[in-house]
Amino acid sequence: MAGQKTAAYGSWKSPISSDMIVQGTISLVGMCFDGADRYWVEARPSEAGRNVLMRQAANGMVEEITPAPFNVRDRVHEYGGAPFVIHEGMVYFSNFADNLLYVRKPDGTIEAMTSDTKKYYADGVIDPLRNRLILVREDHTNSDIFAETTLVSMNADGSNEQIVVSGNDFYANPRFSPDGRHFAWLTWNHPNMPWDETELWVADVMADGSLQNERKVAGGNQSSVIQPVWSPDNQLYFVSDKSNWWNIMRLEHDGAVTTVCPMEAEFGSPSWAFGISDYAFVDPDNIICTYSQNGRKYLATLGVASGMLALVETEDTYFTSIHSNGGKIGYIGASPVSFPHIVVSNPDGSEVEVLKSSAALQVSDDYISVPESIAFPTEGGKTAYAIFYPPKNPDFVAPGQEKPPLLVHVHGGPTAASQAVLNLSTQYWTSRGIAVVDVNYGGSTGYGREYRDRLKGNWGIVDVDDSANAALYLAKRGDVDEDRLAIAGGSAGGYTTLASLVFKDVYRAGASHFGLSELEVFVNETHKFESRYMDGLLGPYPEAKDVYYNRSPINFTDQLSCPVIFFQGLDDKIVPPNQAELMVEALRKKGLPVAYVAFAGEGHGFRMSENIKRSLDGEFYFYSRVFGFTPADDIEPVQIDNM
């Protein structure tokens, strides 16, 4: 193009700065209805990551209903989720600072309902007949890793708290039928995670609120049941992967189970947090739902009698937090060219209203890299999947035959998935001349249970192989420079990053964001929810002690021969700081270039704007030193030992 400047990849000047990202964006955590009112939660980096509950009233007025310092977030399972429940203008919410449950009344007054900071609450539901709440409670009074999880009830003022269901390791999704006569919940036990095996239970509710005739109606036998929902006419629906795919099921009155719409598609997503909602009833006969097929999401209405799907016309390609108040539907949507935003519309997709966007920024489409979904060969003659973002900046062209560096991004979980939605953090790289590939390695969700189970016993192998093969596939295709490959990830993605750098000679640099390096330490020090996660990923401990040793990057630093940068929150309870510090010290002793950036006051994932900025710019600066390009921006240097 005329007027383009010639500059090396990585040296391009971009309008998408780290300041823009942290100052101009928020995260949209979820939305719901209370009658005609619409509610949603905003996570604001500019307020140290504070989660704020917002409301748009029926008259259109928008207001913040949880003022500072309240932070609408909970610690149950450490990942939290569903920190509030709303009923006829009464808002009950968990506050992150003290773990207490609060109530906000229609007149705006806010009062504490509980007083014990060792008891965490989430995923509440209102009893439609008895003016009480039932919530998941995680009691840390005696222990963190052995915290007791139960379902508890309490009056609307917090009084008369008592356990109603107990005895298993975990509970989720307490749900009353609309007539208040039946109650359903999910439960599971170690060593299962909720995407491995759960059970769905139902009980009859007596006049005094007690539960009778408790019975398991679905799940068990290595099937994952998620998201139970009662229809307006008091019939129980849920999502099960018994067929290999998470499909919507119905519990018939005779106890039989019917698949509403059998498809090789995922109508659910992994329960890392509470409150995930992938479908909702519009009326007794119709469901609004999202499903994933071949790595892409769709929005559709589903007739419960016919089992027929009708796609909803929308430009969005990603959907979550699906809700309905009977007249309208609401969800968080996004696409490769649109930021996540909250949408309210008619069930057929007409009369669309965008309540809130995660960014009010004006970025020209000329700087936005539109991704390509790729499928590539991997070990064992199998196929894996990824999302590739080539460099894009209308102002620059690279010299000669130069090919761009590639940043391989590994998502966390590892039972999660990358989605093709507009993310300025990704565009930060591509607009500077760095290609990015988000790898949905074997173990990722969205491709059926069989694909998800590829990681069983093979964590540190399948994810490492698939990530490397994605990079090599793009290099062989001619899209990127094979000699300038880097890999980065957070949490479980940080582990895959470190394992890839140790066990593969593919990359020339890496960045671990709060990643695991010593698996035995993690087993002994992590929180309850994930304390037996490794049983499925690696094997039971200590029986599989050798596997833990042989998959731990810290034990094989002699095989590491490239620079690494580490970013770590000092308050991280999921991956404690010593996981990074053990690895950093080993690399320092070996004489390899290594950088360590620690953040006080941050937990698992960075929420403060200054730390998000520092980690993004710091990683880019690190690669500039390793790959030898000069950033166009004036970036605060990172201390790199042995450089």
Side-chain angles (χ1 to χ4, degrees):
M1 293 174 61
Q4 282 186 315
K5 300 175 184 177
T6 299
Y9 287 114
S11 299
W12 298 353
K13 180 69 174 177
S14 169
I16 303 172
S17 67
S18 58
D19 285 323
M20 170 188 286
I21 293 170
V22 300
Q23 294 173 8
T25 63
I26 58 173
S27 293
L28 298 173
V29 181
M31 75 83 59
C32 72
F33 293 97
D34 180 38
D37 293 345
R38 298 90 174 262
Y39 291 81
W40 67 93
V41 174
E42 302 176 4
R44 299 174 177 173
S46 61
E47 296 184 37
R50 187 171 77 93
N51 281 16
V52 181
L53 185 58
M54 304 292 295
R55 177 178 65 196
Q56 183 191 56
N59 62 9
M61 184 178 75
V62 175
E63 62 177 325
E64 176 183 311
I65 65 170
T66 53
F70 289 111
N71 187 354
V72 184
R73 184 176 157 217
D74 65 85
R75 285 187 169 89
V76 182
H77 294 178
E78 287 299 327
Y79 295 99
F84 68 92
V85 58
I86 304 168
H87 181 65
E88 296 180 350
M90 298 285 284
V91 180
Y92 308 91
F93 68 93
S94 291
N95 184 46
F96 189 70
D98 54 19
N99 302 314
L100 301 185
L101 197 63
Y102 288 79
V103 58
R104 183 195 187 275
K105 300 178 180 179
D107 64 5
T109 59
I110 297 177
E111 299 174 355
M113 297 173 59
T114 61
S115 58
D116 190 340
T117 61
K118 290 286 188 179
K119 294 176 179 177
Y120 310 167
Y121 302 88
D123 207 9
V125 64
I126 302 294
D127 184 336
L129 298 183
R130 299 164 190 87
N131 194 32
R132 63 172 178 163
L133 290 85
I134 291 188
L135 308 103
V136 178
R137 186 182 76 184
E138 193 175 72
D139 188 346
H140 291 247
T141 301
N142 298 317
S143 170
D144 285 331
I145 197 167
F146 298 112
E148 181 187 21
T149 307
T150 57
L151 296 181
V152 299
S153 67
M154 65 175 68
N155 293 333
D157 61 0
S159 63
N160 195 31
E161 182 174 343
Q162 54 186 303
I163 295 173
V164 294
V165 180
S166 64
N168 286 347
D169 292 327
F170 300 99
Y171 293 93
N173 296 93
R175 300 293 184 261
F176 281 98
S177 59
D179 63 9
R181 297 174 56 192
H182 303 285
F183 180 68
W185 68 92
L186 290 177
T187 184
W188 67 98
N189 286 301
H190 283 314
N192 291 311
M193 300 299 285
W195 46 87
D196 294 326
E197 179 180 308
T198 59
E199 296 177 350
L200 176 60
W201 285 67
V202 173
D204 301 328
V205 187
M206 301 295 99
D208 63 357
S210 63
L211 304 182
Q212 298 290 332
N213 191 25
E214 298 179 8
R215 58 208 182 269
K216 186 181 79 169
V217 296
N221 299 317
Q222 296 184 319
S223 66
S224 169
V225 173
I226 56 176
Q227 299 183 38
V229 173
W230 292 95
S231 69
D233 55 359
N234 301 294
Q235 199 154 9
L236 185 59
Y237 288 69
F238 57 92
V239 177
S240 171
D241 69 355
K242 190 174 181 179
S243 69
N244 181 54
W245 301 92
W246 267 320
N247 279 191
I248 297 175
M249 310 284 194
R250 178 175 58 244
L251 180 67
E252 305 293 358
H253 296 297
D254 62 1
V257 172
T258 300
T259 305
V260 179
C261 178
M263 279 181 66
E264 291 187 354
E266 300 275 54
F267 286 81
S269 47
S271 302
W272 275 104
F274 294 100
I276 295 172
S277 177
D278 291 313
Y279 71 106
F281 275 88
V282 176
D283 55 48
D285 301 318
N286 295 283
I287 287 171
I288 182 72
C289 61
T290 180
Y291 65 92
S292 177
Q293 198 169 44
N294 299 321
R296 180 183 166 172
K297 285 203 169 193
Y298 300 86
L299 186 69
T301 56
L302 171 61
V304 298
S306 67
M308 298 296 292
L309 281 171
L311 289 178
V312 176
E313 290 190 16
T314 171
E315 295 181 356
D316 292 328
T317 57
Y318 173 76
F319 312 89
T320 188
S321 195
I322 309 289
H323 291 276
S324 175
N325 64 358
K328 296 286 188 178
I329 63 170
Y331 59 87
I332 298 176
S335 79
V337 295
S338 63
F339 296 108
H341 48 270
I342 297 173
V343 171
V344 171
S345 74
N346 290 331
D348 62 2
S350 63
E351 297 186 18
V352 174
E353 178 185 357
V354 177
L355 297 188
K356 184 73 176 184
S357 175
S358 63
L361 304 171
Q362 298 298 319
V363 179
S364 169
D365 290 346
D366 292 339
Y367 294 93
I368 301 302
S369 176
V370 178
E372 170 196 1
S373 294
I374 62 172
F376 55 91
T378 191
E379 256 62 26
K382 299 182 183 297
T383 298
Y385 305 92
I387 305 165
F388 175 57
Y389 296 82
K392 186 177 181 184
N393 187 318
D395 305 323
F396 291 92
V397 63
Q401 300 301 309
E402 182 186 1
K403 296 187 183 301
L406 174 69
L407 177 59
V408 177
H409 180 259
V410 187
H411 66 68
T415 309
S418 294
Q419 304 290 338
V421 300
L422 181 57
N423 183 327
L424 283 188
S425 293
T426 299
Q427 305 297 329
Y428 173 97
W429 298 98
T430 56
S431 61
R432 284 166 172 75
I434 310 292
V436 175
V437 63
D438 283 333
V439 185
N440 282 326
Y441 50 81
S444 303
T445 50
Y447 304 90
R449 171 127 192 180
E450 183 179 341
Y451 190 82
R452 194 165 78 242
D453 282 351
R454 284 188 192 179
L455 214 58
K456 291 286 188 180
N458 291 307
W459 193 33
I461 297 175
V462 167
D463 49 323
V464 168
D465 286 339
D466 289 357
S467 297
N469 286 328
L472 295 175
Y473 171 82
L474 291 168
K476 183 177 180 181
R477 207 173 70 167
D479 295 281
V480 299
D481 185 347
E482 187 173 4
D483 294 324
R484 292 192 292 173
L485 305 178
I487 184 168
S491 189
Y495 164 73
T496 300
T497 292
L498 295 173
S500 297
L501 295 171
V502 167
F503 301 124
K504 289 284 186 182
D505 186 21
V506 171
Y507 308 98
R508 297 298 172 260
S512 170
H513 297 252
F514 41 92
L516 292 145
S517 64
E518 215 282 22
L519 299 175
E520 290 184 75
V521 171
F522 180 79
V523 169
N524 295 320
E525 295 185 0
T526 193
H527 58 118
K528 178 186 177 182
F529 180 60
E530 291 185 281
S531 61
R532 297 290 300 278
Y533 190 16
M534 299 292 189
D535 283 36
L537 295 174
L538 299 170
Y541 187 87
E543 294 86 342
K545 185 179 177 71
D546 289 349
V547 175
Y548 284 72
Y549 181 90
N550 290 329
R551 304 270 181 88
S552 293
I554 188 66
N555 299 322
F556 300 94
T557 54
D558 59 310
Q559 297 175 205
L560 186 57
S561 58
C562 71
V564 188
I565 187 169
F566 296 79
F567 299 92
Q568 178 68 42
L570 294 179
D571 291 346
D572 195 337
K573 299 296 190 296
I574 296 173
V575 179
N578 65 351
Q579 289 279 293
E581 291 160 2
L582 286 168
M583 197 75 172
V584 170
E585 186 57 31
L587 293 173
R588 282 174 178 157
K589 289 181 179 178
K590 191 176 181 184
L592 280 172
V594 59
Y596 180 48
V597 183
F599 300 121
E602 290 282 18
H604 196 66
F606 308 142
R607 291 175 170 83
M608 302 180 194
S609 57
E610 63 270 25
N611 298 335
I612 297 171
K613 170 182 170 63
R614 179 64 168 154
S615 60
L616 190 57
D617 286 341
E619 186 178 342
F620 183 69
Y621 173 84
F622 185 75
Y623 295 147
S624 75
R625 293 290 307 278
V626 174
F627 292 140
F629 59 80
T630 302
D633 305 296
D634 184 14
I635 297 176
E636 180 184 353
V638 171
Q639 174 62 42
I640 306 174
D641 297 334
N642 303 325
M643 191 71 186

